[in-house]
Amino acid sequence: MSQRLRTLVVHAGEHREGGAVAAPTYRSSTYALGEPESFDDIRYIRLNNTPTQQAAEAKLAALEAGDALVTPSGTAAVWLALNACVQPGEHVLAPARVYGGTRKILDHLTEREGVEVTYVDLSRPETWESARRPNTRAFFCETIANPWMSVPPLQEIVAFARRHGLVSLIDNTLATPVLYRPREHGFDVVVHSASKHLNGHSDVVAGAIIAAPERLRAIRVHANRLGICPDPEACALLVRGMKTLPLRVGAQCDAAMTLARWLDAHAEVDAVCFPGLPGDPSHARATELLDGFGTMLSFTPSGGERRARALIASLRLPIEAPSLGGVETLVSRPATTSHAGLPAELRRSMGVDDAMIRVSVGVEDPDDLIADFEAALAESALADAAE
Ligand SMILES: *Cc1c(COP(=O)(O)O)cnc(C)c1O
């Protein structure tokens, strides 16, 4: 990669046809056949080979060092990547603490596709060997695991996978290529929810898979057969969003650091999960592996679930909504959003406290955010005392 990220996001994959500085959106579902007429000459949106999607894929390919496929959602990306890499009867290692939607996909693979899954503690590499089986085929992980914001020993995962001939897959949604480029560190397959930071404006649902050309080709064939394809409009918005990815993520990381420090020092905050804090269990690893500490944090106010609800209700700037990575700060309680689909017992065993508040830090001025959290912490304390 000769050009730097901030240059690549602006210029990679841009054809500038007809002198257009910003690429037009090609909505055409089908394209005139040229000579010679073979199946591969057919251009059709469902075959994942039309110009606006290709523009988004070329930009992603430059950022994540591999060939790219844009998918209609991050969920579709996780599903396709796993489904293309693992056959019925094969076995997958996956984190016990994993994105709730991915957990549901893994459950589906177990129940319906005859795939075996063992959930491992990514922070204890000494336990992985005993979880491995003769039919183990893949090791799935996430760069930053939400809502704990933990960073696993990524190089040990790559080394373990290589040693045992496993496909290594990583969900890089929270880190983005700004903080970590998994393929440069030896991961085979990268997946993204492009609905989050890559687009960054909370107005697109899309996903992406990046892999070596041959593997990506196989995944693309799989997508074409199943009719899994993004809409050109989503691809065009994704292209536009990606141009400011490093600027947004840089500002969001700085603001998250500022807010995390402030919350950590607050007397009525019991715990803060953010790898940028020196006391965080992932601090050393994040410092070593990532080019930043991320845009997300979680914290637990004292006073339990009721206080957490009152606090969220008192916030004026952050919007209570699921999802993350947009320019506006969002808050949610993982117990009722990302992990709501799981049985309460499983959720608690995964360390998701009912009072935990997750913050996806936007690009607002961090001083305004702090003032708002300060007022909300005070108001929610008063509300609690009044009852
Ligand atoms: C949101 C998310 C997904 C799913 O993406 P969608 O675009 O909502 O389908 C997958 N992994 C992670 C880490 C996510 O945050």
Side-chain angles (χ1 to χ4, degrees):
M1 205 193 281
S2 55
Q3 287 176 332
R4 293 167 181 81
L5 199 70
R6 274 175 60 175
T7 307
L8 284 172
V9 291
V10 176
H11 294 290
E14 300 287 331
H15 292 300
R16 313 256 150 81
E17 285 128 341
V21 172
T25 306
Y26 291 92
R27 295 170 195 270
S28 187
S29 62
T30 186
Y31 289 76
L33 270 179
E35 298 286 334
E37 297 177 18
S38 85
F39 183 75
D40 287 337
D41 293 324
I42 296 175
R43 302 237 280 170
Y44 182 53
I45 284 176
R46 200 249 303 143
L47 296 176
N48 287 295
N49 61 3
T50 56
T52 306
Q53 181 175 350
Q54 285 172 335
E57 291 174 353
K59 208 178 276 298
L60 272 164
L63 307 188
E64 287 275 22
D67 277 9
L69 173 70
V70 176
T71 59
S73 67
T75 304
V78 174
W79 191 87
L80 263 177
L82 280 167
N83 210 264
C85 293
V86 184
Q87 304 300 315
E90 291 182 332
H91 175 240
V92 181
L93 297 174
R97 292 181 166 194
V98 72
Y99 173 71
T102 298
R103 174 71 189 228
K104 283 185 224 166
I105 290 172
L106 290 164
D107 287 345
H108 174 91
L109 288 171
T110 307
E111 290 158 16
R112 302 286 295 274
E113 311 265 333
V115 171
E116 299 168 15
V117 183
T118 300
Y119 294 96
V120 293
D121 183 345
L122 289 187
S123 67
R124 296 176 60 214
E126 71 279 8
T127 63
W128 303 345
E129 181 57 39
S130 63
R132 195 173 64 84
R133 301 177 189 169
N135 59 341
T136 306
R137 181 79 190 105
F139 199 151
F140 184 96
C141 69
E142 298 168 337
T143 324
I144 301 174
N146 161 34
W148 315 273
M149 312 310 162
S150 53
V151 179
L154 298 166
Q155 285 318 112
E156 292 185 48
I157 292 171
V158 169
F160 185 87
R162 288 244 167 111
R163 195 155 63 241
H164 300 296
L166 315 180
V167 183
S168 52
L169 301 104
I170 183 165
D171 184 331
N172 200 34
T173 299
L174 266 68
T176 84
V178 179
L179 303 191
Y180 192 68
R181 290 155 304 281
R183 299 222 356 109
E184 291 176 8
H185 299 277
F187 278 95
D188 296 314
V189 182
V190 183
V191 296
H192 275 280
S193 169
S195 325
K196 315 293 171 56
H197 292 96
L198 290 180
N199 175 60
H201 293 75
S202 310
D203 52 9
V204 165
V205 169
I209 307 175
I210 301 95
E214 203 170 314
R215 190 182 301 281
L216 207 271
R217 214 171 298 127
I219 296 172
R220 193 182 286 279
V221 166
H222 210 63
N224 293 354
R225 276 189 196 145
L226 295 167
I228 297 177
C229 57
D231 188 86
E233 194 67 40
C235 295
L237 284 168
L238 181 55
V239 165
R240 188 172 76 164
M242 281 193 284
K243 291 177 187 174
T244 55
L245 175 73
L247 300 180
R248 284 184 282 107
V249 170
Q252 287 168 293
C253 286
D254 289 348
M257 185 78 231
T258 305
L259 183 60
R261 283 202 185 115
W262 184 84
L263 287 166
D264 196 42
H266 198 286
E268 286 164 35
V269 171
D270 288 347
V272 180
C273 300
F274 183 68
L277 296 173
D280 189 272
S282 290
H283 182 65
R285 203 172 283 137
T287 306
E288 180 198 336
L289 298 174
L290 309 182
D291 295 334
F293 295 114
T295 67
M296 308 269 302
L297 60 90
S298 296
F299 73 101
T300 310
S302 54
E305 183 185 336
R306 208 172 54 155
R307 171 79 180 282
R309 282 179 197 271
L311 196 162
I312 287 175
S314 297
L315 286 168
R316 286 173 179 80
L317 281 178
I319 303 158
E320 184 182 11
S323 194
L324 59 99
V327 291
E328 51 287 291
T329 297
L330 301 182
V331 294
S332 62
R333 283 193 303 123
T336 61
T337 51
S338 60
H339 290 70
L342 305 176
E345 204 173 301
L346 176 63
R347 198 168 65 225
R348 294 204 185 97
S349 77
M350 292 171 81
V352 178
D353 191 290
D354 287 346
M356 186 188 241
I357 297 174
R358 188 188 82 174
V359 187
S360 170
V361 181
V363 299
E364 301 96 335
D365 189 305
D367 290 340
D368 287 332
L369 290 175
I370 285 174
D372 201 18
F373 275 95
E374 184 163 34
L377 272 158
E379 265 178 48
S380 59
L382 293 175
D384 239 24
E387 278 176 37

